[in-house]
Amino acid sequence: MSSLRLGCLPNLRSLFLQGNKISQVEGLEQCRELRHLVLDRNKIRLLTETSFCAQWKLTELHMEENRVKELYYLTGLDNLQFLFLGMNRIQDMAELQQLEILTHLKEISVINNPVARKLLHRPTLVHRMPNLEVVDGIEVSPAEKLKADLYFLEPPMQQSAAAAAATAGSIDIVLPGIGPYKPAVHVNSNEPSWTVPQLPDDTTKEHSKGRGSTDVSPLKGTHQHSVLFRYHQHGNKSGNQRMRQNRP
């Protein structure tokens, strides 16, 4: 890039250098008015402290299909709003977490990086960078932000916040990368469900004097196919004991 003599263009605002086999970002020190920079499909491996040392006004940076592993020297791009790093070699979540200092960042893409295969890369970005609107080409909804924040809260705070969110009906969204806060058991409406509640004390006393029977009755307030099985004592053996003896 130094051979391009970009220092002769101090008022340059947009620069497109995709597909030029560039291995190092350099020579931009005098391009202080640069707003848009495209470096896709090159061979960039490392970023140095001089790579973007004067690009305070840069708002959009494309560096897809390169070989970048570390992102530390992007943290000086204070006004960056759009960052595209797909198909690089970023592996560690710590590299992405360094970008939380970019408070104006609205969109980021790290698709097809090793770090994107980890389950928590998206909720981590959503939680640590609250101004993000789009991650990997998918819009971040308010409900997703809420759930990401709940996921990373301390357990006591997590429970109280989850209860408040559930009351408001805003926690039903499935966040990419993590499962529901509290796993729920989903009952298929086409299949019967069985519930065995504890018997009332008066019923237990009434049938504990030597007589016994097995009573099958519908259970009110649950699924229409739910059935309540009540096992009472028969002689000196309980219903549960008889069940164990009759097992093959």
Side-chain angles (χ1 to χ4, degrees):
M1 288 182 63
S2 57
S3 61
L4 298 176
R5 299 183 180 180
L6 296 173
C8 299
L9 303 170
N11 295 318
L12 187 67
R13 290 177 174 263
S14 298
L15 179 60
F16 298 83
L17 294 173
Q18 64 269 30
N20 281 283
K21 299 182 180 180
I22 296 170
S23 59
Q24 187 173 350
V25 181
E26 57 185 354
L28 297 175
E29 293 82 4
Q30 302 302 319
C31 300
R32 299 182 180 182
E33 299 297 324
L34 199 62
R35 302 292 200 278
H36 307 90
L37 177 59
V38 179
L39 296 169
D40 296 338
R41 301 191 304 279
N42 282 290
K43 297 182 179 181
I44 301 171
R45 293 178 178 269
L46 296 174
L47 301 175
T48 66
E49 59 183 352
T50 60
S51 293
F52 302 104
C53 62
Q55 277 61 60
W56 308 292
K57 297 182 180 181
L58 191 68
T59 60
E60 186 168 345
L61 175 60
H62 295 251
M63 285 201 308
E64 297 190 322
E65 296 186 56
N66 281 282
R67 304 172 186 178
V68 177
K69 293 183 179 180
E70 299 178 355
L71 306 177
Y72 175 76
Y73 292 109
L74 295 179
T75 57
L77 301 176
D78 297 335
N79 289 299
L80 195 65
Q81 299 181 22
F82 305 95
L83 178 59
F84 301 93
L85 298 169
M87 291 172 279
N88 275 282
R89 298 181 181 178
I90 305 167
Q91 297 182 5
D92 298 329
M93 282 297 306
E95 295 299 325
L96 297 182
Q97 292 173 4
Q98 292 184 89
L99 300 179
E100 65 183 6
I101 196 173
L102 304 178
T103 57
H104 293 93
L105 198 63
K106 296 180 180 180
E107 180 174 357
I108 186 172
S109 176
V110 292
I111 57 174
N112 293 332
N113 277 273
V115 71
R117 302 190 188 105
K118 299 180 181 180
L119 295 179
L120 290 178
H121 96 278
R122 181 182 176 92
T124 299
L125 288 172
V126 172
H127 172 66
R128 299 182 73 98
M129 306 175 72
N131 291 327
L132 278 179
E133 299 176 0
V134 180
V135 177
D136 294 343
I138 302 176
E139 186 176 355
V140 179
S141 67
E144 183 179 359
K145 289 182 180 180
L146 172 62
K147 194 163 188 181
D149 292 339
L150 288 176
Y151 187 84
F152 289 101
L153 285 175
E154 293 296 329
M157 298 175 62
Q158 196 177 53
Q159 293 176 5
S160 60
T167 303
S170 60
I171 197 171
D172 294 333
I173 186 172
V174 177
L175 180 66
I178 63 175
Y181 168 66
K182 290 185 178 181
V185 178
H186 301 284
V187 179
N188 190 344
S189 59
N190 296 324
E191 298 180 359
S193 60
W194 308 95
T195 306
V196 184
Q198 186 177 359
L199 293 174
D201 293 338
D202 56 347
T203 307
T204 304
K205 294 179 181 179
E206 179 181 354
H207 293 277
S208 61
K209 298 180 181 179
R211 294 187 303 169
S213 63
T214 301
D215 177 27
V216 180
S217 59
L219 179 64
K220 297 180 179 180
T222 60
H223 194 277
Q224 60 179 349
H225 297 293
S226 299
V227 175
L228 167 64
F229 286 92
R230 297 176 179 173
Y231 298 99
H232 306 305
Q233 292 183 349
H234 181 72
N236 294 327
K237 298 181 180 180
S238 67
N240 290 333
Q241 291 173 333
R242 294 202 306 276
M243 289 178 65
R244 288 195 293 268
Q245 291 179 356
N246 292 333
R247 291 178 181 174

